[in-house]
Amino acid sequence: MNTTFSAAAPKALIELKTALFNGFQSFNQLKHIHARLIRAGFDQNNYLLNLLLKFTLNNFNNPNYAKLVFNQAQEPNIFLYNTMIRGLVSNNCFHQSIEFFHGMRNEGFLPNNFTFPFLLKSCTRLSDFELGVKAHGLVVKGGFDYDVFVKTGLVCFYARCGFLDDAHQMFDDIPEKNVVSWTAIITGYIDFGKFKEAIDLFRRSLEMGLSPDSFTLVRVLSACSRVGDVSAGEWIHGYAVEMGIGRNVFVNTGLVDMYAKCGEMAKAREVFDEMVEKDVVSWSAMIQGYAVNGLPKEALEVFYTMQRENVRPDCYSMVGVLSACSRLGALEVGEWASKLMDMNEFLSNAVLGTALIDMYAKCGRMVSAWEIFKQMLVKKDRVIWNAVLSGLAMHGYVKSAFCCFSQVEKLGIKPNGNTFIGLLCACTHAGLVDEGRKYFQSMTHLYSLEPSIEHYGCMVDLLGRAGLLDEAHSLIESMPMKANAVVWGALLSGCRLHRDTKLAEHVLKQLIELEPWNSGNYVHLSNIYASNNKWDDSEKIRSSMNERRMQKIPAYSWIEIDGIVHEFLVGDTYHPISDNIYVKLGELSKELREVGYVPRTEYVLFDIEEEEKEHFVGCHSEKLALAYGLLSTKPGDGIRIIKNLRICGDCHTFFKLVSMITGREIILRDNNRFHCFLEGSCSCGDYW
């Protein structure tokens, strides 16, 4: 019997070795081989157990079964411990990998160059700085401090823990640096916001003759996008093409993202169109790029193409789509797009939920935004509260916005700068100067928040609208930072509203110094002169604009009908039913005159005859959109219009009267606020 067993043993051993080398098709097959090891008496053969552990951890990602196998070993060696530590790290079981390290030390085994890289990775991921430093000491004692993989592990460890100087020292000590070590130090600098330094390190790596992989290129491209260094990004683009990795889907997606974040959408589109393979990440980069760069229609066009390609949207593409819909007021499109994902995905994801709340709020459906807010399954964080608070403020629900803020305080959520921007906007919309002052002062006194330039801009806007121009000007002069064009522009709006030409001229000088090529500054002053019948001065401004070849920003209005967004410009005649639109406008004007409407021609910026002025003011883009909406919807249906600039006083009066004679609710959002017209009144209050 013994002779038969001993003769069969080598054969069984060979079969088991062959099976372990060839690998397994399923986890059940692995367990079958494990059982054969036990039956054949080879379950204490550390070499065979090591092979079994590698397959269990690396191929089937089953750390629990691996621990059962390991625990059966009566005399585990350093190789088994290293396999367990490495495999557990690969399966993100960092605490357990450290436990095995301590167990190895208790058994008297010294870690080696295969142990340290994975131990250090666990310390890095768990931010266990104390153990990492001890591991560094063992590295030096064991003589492994010149091993490139161990040293790279130390670079990652110190960099991730925020000790960049120590990380760089470790990096400099590596005698022969490889792609992994260069990527480690570059990533360390990127993670701590030192983007320019990361780009310089990448240049150095190329000078050393290194060939970076796609991961390194993508990380450096992200650094370029963070600092807006499009020239460095273009250089990397050229390098990628030269090295033959220009068709790599990850590199191309990184290029699209970089160009988009640097505002170079034409270049982003060029790279995107040339991509042979596109994944959902590359589609999302294009959609978000267009949305963020103020091209919402293009964002939706890419999304429609993505749908035709049967690519399911992810969180990031959906956020981009909802942002585009918010900008266009495309409520129907936003609702259709949101139904492509399960509603629970929105309610259980703070980013998605916030985007949906924002879309509903900016499309004039604050009730729907509030419903989504109430149904959120995740804990409502500050970002979600800020979204709903800003939405309420935008719609003029000032008391509700203030109640939201009170609830935020009761819940112990610390407000941030965005919270106070929402509150100050609410005060501005309602003309609540005293409340605005109170909230502004409480930032510093109660919440230890230093007001940013955006908060000063809100206060200047609030004071300027209230006619407190001197106080607004004094606030600008007392700011701890230099006022930007937005702050001065807010004061200029107040000057226009209250026709303070003298102060406006002073403000304009500041604006010209800050933005010498911004036509809006000149147009604004020209408006002030025109409204005061100073036509010669107005003409001088316009002549100056012509000499500089400057053009006024065109006014656009959008209206969504049956899921299609229609765009109108002032005096537009390009729409397929343009003739009908102008006929409808004529009919409306006739009806409105019968109830006392007189066109407010002071908003026309040219010294021309009164009859011509009425013609110009009568074909503003929002009026064209309104006429089209009345033609294209059923009596009683609400109408929603978005305008990229501020609505003029004449259009405001016109919309109020149209809402009265048609019995329609008309919601118009300009670049300043929501205007909800119903039965001849407006929720924002008539401040003209």
Side-chain angles (χ1 to χ4, degrees):
M1 187 72 177
N2 289 341
T3 305
T4 305
F5 178 79
S6 60
K11 183 179 178 182
L13 181 61
I14 292 170
E15 289 178 357
L16 289 168
K17 279 186 178 180
T18 303
L20 288 166
F21 274 115
N22 290 338
F24 309 100
Q25 297 299 316
S26 67
F27 186 62
N28 283 335
Q29 188 182 359
L30 181 143
K31 291 197 290 185
H32 176 69
I33 296 298
H34 185 198
R36 287 183 61 190
L37 279 176
I38 296 171
R39 285 199 302 270
F42 299 126
D43 56 317
Q44 296 305 312
N45 185 312
N46 284 344
Y47 176 76
L48 296 178
L49 287 178
N50 199 36
L51 289 173
L52 191 69
L53 285 174
K54 286 180 179 179
F55 277 106
T56 305
L57 290 162
N58 302 333
N59 292 60
F60 297 106
N61 307 112
N62 196 324
N64 290 329
Y65 193 81
K67 285 189 286 185
L68 289 174
V69 173
F70 180 89
N71 290 336
Q72 289 177 359
Q74 297 172 6
E75 296 182 3
N77 58 17
I78 184 68
F79 301 105
L80 289 186
Y81 273 108
N82 279 345
T83 297
M84 284 300 298
I85 292 169
R86 177 176 182 171
L88 289 167
V89 169
S90 299
N91 284 276
N92 298 322
C93 301
F94 305 111
H95 286 290
Q96 294 178 40
S97 71
I98 289 175
E99 288 174 7
F100 268 86
F101 169 74
H102 289 310
M104 180 184 78
R105 296 288 289 134
N106 291 337
E107 290 293 325
F109 293 111
L110 292 174
N112 59 21
N113 56 326
F114 292 100
T115 316
F116 288 116
F118 298 99
L119 172 63
L120 288 167
K121 186 172 182 179
S122 291
C123 295
T124 301
R125 295 296 293 271
L126 297 174
S127 300
D128 192 338
F129 186 70
E130 183 180 354
L131 180 58
V133 171
K134 289 179 180 177
H136 187 184
L138 291 173
V139 166
V140 176
K141 289 178 182 177
F144 300 112
D145 52 331
Y146 287 101
D147 183 283
V148 63
F149 298 104
V150 175
K151 209 75 169 184
T152 299
L154 287 167
V155 171
C156 288
F157 166 70
Y158 282 114
R160 287 285 185 92
C161 291
F163 295 89
L164 285 178
D165 290 340
D166 295 292
H168 211 125
Q169 184 179 340
M170 296 297 106
F171 175 76
D172 288 338
D173 288 342
I174 299 175
E176 294 184 13
K177 302 172 180 65
N178 59 18
V179 172
V180 180
S181 51
W182 277 103
T183 302
I185 190 66
I186 289 169
T187 301
Y189 274 93
I190 291 173
D191 288 344
F192 278 85
K194 296 185 177 293
F195 306 113
K196 290 183 179 179
E197 293 87 340
I199 296 168
D200 290 339
L201 278 168
F202 178 72
R203 290 182 188 273
R204 273 183 55 198
S205 74
L206 297 187
E207 291 169 1
M208 299 291 290
L210 200 75
S211 296
D213 57 14
S214 59
F215 176 79
T216 309
L217 283 177
V218 170
R219 290 293 283 156
V220 180
L221 284 170
S222 73
C224 295
S225 66
R226 296 294 294 272
V227 293
D229 191 348
V230 71
S231 60
E234 288 176 320
W235 166 69
I236 294 170
H237 186 182
Y239 173 81
V241 172
E242 182 182 335
M243 297 304 294
I245 51 177
R247 289 184 173 273
N248 182 289
V249 64
F250 303 109
V251 173
N252 277 327
T253 301
L255 285 167
V256 169
D257 185 65
M258 182 275 298
Y259 281 128
K261 287 178 178 173
C262 291
E264 298 284 348
M265 286 310 301
K267 292 177 180 176
R269 187 58 186 258
E270 185 179 341
V271 175
F272 180 77
D273 287 341
E274 290 177 356
M275 290 176 67
V276 177
E277 180 186 355
K278 300 181 180 77
D279 59 11
V280 68
V281 181
S282 49
W283 285 101
S284 297
M286 277 304 299
I287 292 167
Q288 285 209 311
Y290 276 131
V292 169
N293 284 288
L295 298 166
K297 291 186 73 175
E298 289 81 352
L300 292 184
E301 286 169 6
V302 173
F303 183 68
Y304 294 143
T305 307
M306 175 182 164
Q307 287 298 294
R308 288 193 292 271
E309 295 288 332
N310 294 317
V311 180
R312 188 180 185 276
D314 64 358
C315 171
Y316 301 102
S317 55
M318 186 56 66
V319 168
V321 170
L322 293 175
S323 175
C325 292
S326 300
R327 184 76 178 266
L328 291 169
L331 176 63
E332 292 176 41
V333 176
E335 290 186 317
W336 164 76
S338 65
K339 288 174 183 175
L340 297 174
M341 299 179 75
D342 189 280
M343 182 52 67
N344 280 332
E345 292 187 65
F346 289 94
L347 301 179
S348 58
N349 183 310
V351 176
L352 274 174
T354 301
L356 192 58
I357 291 169
D358 187 63
M359 187 277 292
Y360 274 123
K362 288 181 178 174
C363 287
R365 285 272 292 273
M366 194 58 220
V367 173
S368 298
W370 182 254
E371 285 301 316
I372 297 296
F373 172 76
K374 289 196 299 182
Q375 294 173 32
M376 290 294 290
L377 300 174
V378 294
K379 184 179 179 181
K380 296 181 181 72
D381 60 10
R382 186 168 57 195
V383 177
I384 298 174
W385 277 102
N386 283 351
V388 76
L389 189 153
S390 296
L392 290 167
M394 196 187 310
H395 282 264
Y397 299 121
V398 179
K399 289 184 179 178
S400 298
F402 292 165
C403 288
C404 264
F405 180 66
S406 298
Q407 191 65 24
V408 166
E409 290 183 305
K410 287 179 183 177
L411 292 171
I413 300 171
K414 185 179 179 182
N416 65 1
N418 289 334
T419 315
F420 283 97
I421 286 175
L423 289 169
L424 293 174
C425 285
C427 295
T428 301
H429 289 185
L432 302 175
V433 176
D434 290 339
E435 286 80 355
R437 290 193 188 106
K438 181 190 74 173
Y439 284 123
F440 183 74
Q441 292 166 3
S442 71
M443 288 183 66
T444 306
H445 298 153
L446 296 180
Y447 301 100
S448 301
L449 291 170
E450 286 299 321
S452 69
I453 198 162
E454 288 81 11
H455 299 105
Y456 281 101
C458 289
M459 280 303 298
V460 169
D461 192 28
L462 171 61
L463 295 170
R465 288 182 185 282
L468 302 172
L469 298 176
D470 290 338
E471 184 179 345
H473 189 204
S474 298
L475 180 63
I476 292 176
E477 297 297 328
S478 67
M479 284 169 54
M481 71 286 288
K482 185 178 179 181
N484 61 12
V486 176
V487 175
W488 284 112
L491 182 55
L492 191 61
S493 294
C495 293
R496 179 183 182 276
L497 187 62
H498 297 284
R499 300 186 178 184
D500 190 331
T501 310
K502 185 176 179 180
L503 181 57
E505 287 182 273
H506 167 72
V507 173
L508 184 64
K509 289 177 183 177
Q510 313 304 317
L511 284 168
I512 289 174
E513 184 179 334
L514 290 168
E515 296 181 334
W517 300 107
N518 186 339
S519 63
N521 302 331
Y522 296 86
V523 171
H524 213 147
L525 186 62
S526 176
N527 292 357
I528 293 173
Y529 285 139
S531 63
N532 285 284
N533 296 319
K534 294 183 179 181
W535 299 111
D536 290 341
D537 291 331
S538 179
E539 182 58 33
K540 286 178 184 177
I541 294 292
R542 293 194 168 274
S543 296
S544 174
M545 290 178 64
N546 291 333
E547 289 171 8
R548 294 170 178 261
R549 297 182 179 179
M550 302 167 74
Q551 294 183 344
K552 181 188 174 186
I553 298 171
Y556 290 95
S557 290
W558 297 279
I559 183 170
E560 182 190 35
I561 303 293
D562 296 329
I564 299 173
V565 177
H566 299 261
E567 182 178 86
F568 293 92
L569 287 82
V570 61
D572 196 343
T573 57
Y574 297 106
H575 198 277
I577 64 165
S578 182
D579 291 341
N580 294 341
I581 290 171
Y582 278 97
V583 169
K584 183 64 177 177
L585 270 181
E587 293 172 355
L588 286 172
S589 295
K590 184 178 179 181
E591 289 183 68
L592 296 188
R593 285 176 187 275
E594 291 175 0
V595 295
Y597 167 69
V598 178
R600 299 176 65 177
T601 56
E602 69 266 27
Y603 296 101
V604 179
L605 312 177
F606 307 100
D607 187 10
I608 53 180
E609 295 300 322
E610 198 69 21
E611 187 176 338
E612 289 182 83
K613 287 185 180 182
E614 291 187 14
H615 169 73
F616 277 107
V617 80
C619 55
H620 281 184
S621 62
E622 58 266 48
K623 287 181 180 173
L624 297 175
L626 174 61
Y628 179 69
L630 292 169
L631 287 170
S632 306
T633 56
K634 300 190 298 292
D637 285 355
I639 293 174
R640 289 175 293 101
I641 297 169
I642 306 296
K643 185 177 181 182
N644 68 327
L645 302 178
R646 187 181 176 192
I647 183 176
C648 76
D650 177 73
C651 287
H652 192 272
T653 302
F654 188 90
F655 272 56
K656 281 204 309 182
L657 293 174
V658 169
S659 76
M660 180 181 72
I661 66 172
T662 62
R664 303 255 201 146
E665 180 186 41
I666 305 168
I667 296 174
L668 185 142
R669 190 188 87 213
D670 61 11
N671 71 340
N672 172 61
R673 68 177 71 191
F674 264 98
H675 308 269
C676 183
F677 303 94
L678 184 62
E679 298 178 353
S681 64
C682 177
S683 61
C684 73
D686 190 355
Y687 50 90
W688 278 276

